[in-house]
Amino acid sequence: MDEWTLGYGRQLPGGVAVNVGFTRRQYKDIPALVETNGIYDGVVFKGYANVDFNQIYLITNDRWTTLVYSGLKPGFVSTLAALDSTRLQTRLAQFFGVPQEEVTGSYTYGGHGETMAVFKSGVAVQGVKLTEILAGEPVNGKRMSAEEWQAVQEHVRTGGARIIKLRGRSSFQSPAHQSVEMLRGRIRQGGYPWPCGVYFKEGPYAHVMMAADVAFTDQGLVGSIPQADSDDLAALDRSYAHLCKLRDEVIAAGILPPVERWPELNPHL
């Protein structure tokens, strides 16, 4: 964005001042073509997702780069991240045959999709910790093996893909509901129970927007790294590495500048 300002001020008798100003802003798009049909393993081409077409390109004009180009503080930009956690809550409730509200602490972190970190730390069913359940403690007359827990994790990771396959499009009702609840949490400065997308400026998960625990404050969202065991944190590390890979691909496509240049465009980063 280019901006220039022209102004004129004059002091009149009697302590009266007249000031006239004009500001002109020129917003610049950075159009880029993002190939969406190819399947790649790193940089190795493996085929097409839809074999009826070759390359399918998405033309983008900065709609993925709000935080960098807007100049906003990171705490004022967020993304919806609750639906994966609610899927985990639902799946565990179905498995144990209990009401959904009796499953607590069911959170997913990091990215969305096949590399999301589906945590067991903090989860409880009817007050029994999931770690104790996996060690053999029954809930509602049912036990869960390590293999069954892995199946639950996989079910959650692929939930979005199943919805698109069933409906031919993504859902909008649940995201709309959770977006309103996020707004309510911002207005009340608290009370929203699910993870949100938050940008970390520094620390072990720096320079990406990812699902994490957040606090709503008058200065916006403040993210924190979840407390968990080593297995869950290792899964979060893998999810973060995948997000960094995606970020670097967007940079390579020319949609974003290199990370070290972000503060030039947004001094809050």
Side-chain angles (χ1 to χ4, degrees):
M1 180 185 74
D2 289 339
E3 176 178 323
W4 57 269
T5 302
L6 177 67
Y8 173 78
R10 184 176 180 84
Q11 182 71 46
L12 301 177
V16 177
V18 176
N19 293 279
V20 179
F22 175 79
T23 299
R24 182 180 186 276
R25 291 187 177 96
Q26 180 182 5
Y27 293 90
K28 294 183 177 181
D29 289 335
I30 304 180
L33 295 178
V34 180
E35 208 279 299
T36 60
N37 195 39
I39 301 172
Y40 294 89
D41 181 3
V43 296
V44 180
F45 176 71
K46 295 292 186 178
Y48 293 111
N50 186 339
V51 296
D52 294 330
F53 300 92
N54 292 328
Q55 289 88 352
I56 300 177
Y57 289 102
L58 173 68
I59 301 177
T60 176
N61 284 321
D62 282 356
R63 66 187 181 93
W64 296 334
T65 60
T66 299
L67 185 59
V68 174
Y69 288 106
S70 67
L72 293 171
K73 294 180 179 179
F76 295 158
V77 179
S78 183
T79 59
L80 179 65
L83 297 184
D84 295 320
S85 294
T86 58
R87 288 190 185 107
L88 175 58
Q89 183 188 50
T90 300
R91 190 59 174 171
L92 288 172
Q94 292 171 338
F95 183 91
F96 289 103
V98 301
Q100 192 165 334
E101 61 269 19
E102 293 185 1
V103 178
T104 58
S106 55
Y107 301 135
T108 67
Y109 297 103
H112 172 70
E114 295 181 359
T115 62
M116 80 171 69
V118 183
F119 274 31
K120 63 180 180 298
S121 303
V123 180
V125 183
Q126 290 188 333
V128 182
K129 294 180 180 179
L130 182 57
T131 51
E132 297 174 357
I133 296 172
L134 293 173
E137 184 73 18
V139 170
N140 199 29
K142 191 168 185 179
R143 290 180 168 84
M144 173 178 277
S145 67
E147 291 75 19
E148 288 170 325
W149 166 238
Q150 291 173 0
V152 168
Q153 290 178 301
E154 184 63 19
H155 181 88
V156 174
R157 292 189 182 104
T158 58
R162 285 197 310 277
I163 290 175
I164 293 175
K165 184 176 180 180
L166 288 170
R167 305 180 65 173
R169 58 172 174 80
S170 183
S171 179
F172 62 87
Q173 301 95 328
S174 296
H177 169 74
Q178 288 296 334
S179 297
V180 171
E181 291 300 315
M182 285 177 65
L183 179 60
R184 192 195 308 273
R186 173 65 183 89
I187 293 172
R188 295 178 176 177
Q189 294 187 19
Y192 185 71
W194 303 107
C196 297
V198 64
Y199 178 83
F200 288 99
K201 183 178 179 179
E202 54 192 14
Y205 304 112
H207 307 310
V208 299
M209 178 81 71
M210 72 177 204
D213 293 327
V214 299
F216 287 84
T217 73
D218 57 359
Q219 297 299 314
L221 270 69
V222 178
S224 60
I225 299 172
Q227 301 297 311
D229 63 21
S230 58
D231 289 340
D232 285 344
L233 290 178
L236 184 58
D237 289 343
R238 291 191 296 271
S239 187
Y240 170 72
H242 180 69
L243 289 174
C244 289
K245 176 177 178 291
L246 295 177
R247 176 202 63 199
D248 293 343
E249 289 176 356
V250 174
I251 291 172
I255 302 171
L256 275 174
V259 173
E260 59 270 18
R261 286 196 53 221
W262 290 4
E264 299 175 15
L265 300 167
N266 185 342
H268 302 296
L269 300 182

